[in-house]
Amino acid sequence: MSSSSETLRALYGTWRLARGDTQGLGFFNFSIEGFWRSFMAAAIVFPAFAMLRWNDIFDAPDDFPAMRYMLVEVIAYVIKWVAFPLIMFHVIPMLGRAERYIAFITVYNWASVLQMGLYLAALMLGVLFPSLGAGGFVFIAVIATLVYGVYIAKLTLSVPIPTASTIVLADFLLSLVITSIGIRLAVGQLF
């Protein structure tokens, strides 16, 4: 199977899972090669990520270190994509689910494409309906992506909802910490 057809199948699988259809799991490649190819999702999501980060500095003061900020954000982006799978590589065996690690990370990675799409849609709704406030749409999108992540963890790891929720919350908090450190490094105020 070509990379492009595998990508399309995986994205279709994420869509089916988002609709609550567990048959969506049948569209993923759970081989070791499929696991590594699932990190292509990072490349698919990256343009939207870069656009959002660039938008963050659009109204920044003239002396704001924009290029340094962007460089640090790109490095933080890569760290986020590597850190969570590495942590889960050690955590999932402690849960007695080592054989499900590849399936979990594969689906979780591909799901990030759909999650970014939802986040962008929420931002667009905020622009189209400014009186309703962009923050409300984004908040709903963040909650929806967290719930979706819990569903994926529960389904692929076959763990109870509290365990799946803890895993997704750990990813969310890890992302916040990495982002926070990255921003502080970018503006030269780590300590």
Side-chain angles (χ1 to χ4, degrees), residues 6-86:
E6 183 175 334
T7 298
L8 292 174
R9 284 180 54 82
L11 294 178
Y12 180 66
T14 62
W15 173 251
R16 296 226 0 212
L17 290 175
R19 294 177 46 221
D21 180 3
T22 59
Q23 297 301 312
L25 287 176
F27 292 89
F28 295 92
N29 177 355
F30 293 134
S31 69
I32 191 68
E33 294 82 14
F35 165 82
W36 289 114
R37 281 196 286 270
S38 74
F39 287 90
M40 287 179 12
I44 295 169
V45 171
F46 182 76
F49 167 82
M51 178 190 71
L52 291 171
R53 294 296 71 85
W54 191 256
N55 187 55
D56 288 347
I57 59 174
F58 188 70
D59 293 325
D62 290 337
D63 63 342
F64 185 79
M67 292 314 292
R68 179 177 168 165
Y69 172 79
M70 290 302 290
L71 177 63
V72 170
E73 282 292 326
V74 169
I75 293 168
Y77 181 79
V78 172
I79 291 170
K80 288 178 204 176
W81 273 90
V82 173
F84 182 68
L86 283 175

Side-chain angles (χ1 to χ4, degrees), residues 98-116:
E99 74 285 356
R100 295 174 178 264
Y101 172 78
I102 287 177
F104 169 64
I105 295 297
T106 299
V107 176
Y108 205 76
N109 282 350
W110 285 119
S112 67
V113 177
L114 185 64
Q115 291 168 327
M116 179 57 88

Side-chain angles (χ1 to χ4, degrees), residues 72 76 175-187 189-190:
V72 170
S175 181
L176 287 178
V177 167
I178 293 169
T179 298
S180 177
I181 292 170
I183 290 170
R184 294 183 65 86
L185 280 172
V187 297
Q189 297 178 351
L190 184 58

